[in-house]
Amino acid sequence: MSRSVTTAQRRLLKEYQQLAKDPPEGIVAAPISEDDLFVWECLLEGPPETPYENGVFQAILNFPKDYPLSPPTLKFNPPILHPNIYSNGTVCISILHAPGDDPLHYERAEERWSPVQSVEKILLSVISMLAEPNPESGANIDACKLWREDRETYNKLVKEQVKRSLGL
């Protein structure tokens, strides 16, 4: 790291150290390189008793230079089928939306990003989102429709993705 360490870099290093010391179950996350604390690779285990169970899903967390004032973005790679994940893999969840009032009035300000959030809280929220989709605020309209109208097919497609995530 350079001599002029930013507030964001100090915060990210602290969060990384905390996650490494006491990782939540089902979550592995770390910067891809010690030279760039702004890009993290994550492995998230699918929540039990959901179609995502036993899956291990890769995602990339990209932090803005003004973190923690602005939220990071989280993108599954490869993308996974879910009402709140865009078809390109980008997660759409309140905790990752810019702070303040929602111009569309779907979310309360306290549900959105604030600097007190952490990487751990983001990743736990994403696992919770996998378990409990919010089809009212969908990012992937096809997944929302399938989830609402044909849960059996939806679950079957997700379980196929779980197998692929494990290389099966």
Side-chain angles (χ1 to χ4, degrees), residues 16-166:
Y16 170 57
Q17 290 167 337
Q18 175 60 38
L19 270 175
K21 188 174 73 178
D22 186 23
E25 193 172 325
I27 294 175
V28 176
I32 291 176
S33 158
E34 287 185 22
D35 297 330
D36 183 2
L37 294 175
F38 293 95
V39 182
W40 290 32
E41 188 170 45
C42 310
L43 293 174
L44 303 177
E45 198 175 299
E49 299 176 32
T50 72
Y52 301 93
E53 184 172 30
N54 299 321
V56 178
F57 304 101
Q58 281 188 288
I60 298 291
L61 254 176
N62 278 294
F63 295 90
K65 297 300 179 201
D66 68 345
Y67 181 80
L69 299 177
S70 298
T73 57
L74 181 76
K75 186 175 182 177
F76 282 99
N77 186 19
I80 58 176
L81 182 68
H82 190 280
N84 307 113
I85 299 174
Y86 290 100
S87 57
N88 72 356
T90 302
V91 172
C92 179
I93 188 174
S94 301
I95 194 174
L96 294 178
H97 293 161
D101 292 323
D102 178 8
L104 302 174
H105 307 292
Y106 283 118
E107 304 162 333
R108 297 188 314 274
E110 59 271 16
E111 295 173 320
R112 295 166 69 90
W113 178 256
S114 90
V116 300
Q117 308 293 13
S118 66
V119 172
E120 179 177 349
K121 194 166 187 183
I122 292 165
L123 298 176
L124 289 170
S125 294
V126 169
I127 288 175
S128 177
M129 174 205 74
L130 289 177
E132 297 177 36
N134 178 1
E136 303 310 311
S137 178
N140 181 330
I141 302 309
D142 294 335
C144 287
K145 190 173 190 287
L146 195 58
W147 188 84
R148 276 198 295 264
E149 297 173 9
D150 188 355
R151 192 74 58 89
E152 192 176 319
T153 300
Y154 175 87
N155 289 346
K156 182 175 172 253
L157 291 171
V158 169
K159 286 176 182 174
E160 288 170 10
Q161 288 185 318
V162 166
K163 285 181 183 171
R164 279 197 302 276
S165 82
L166 300 171

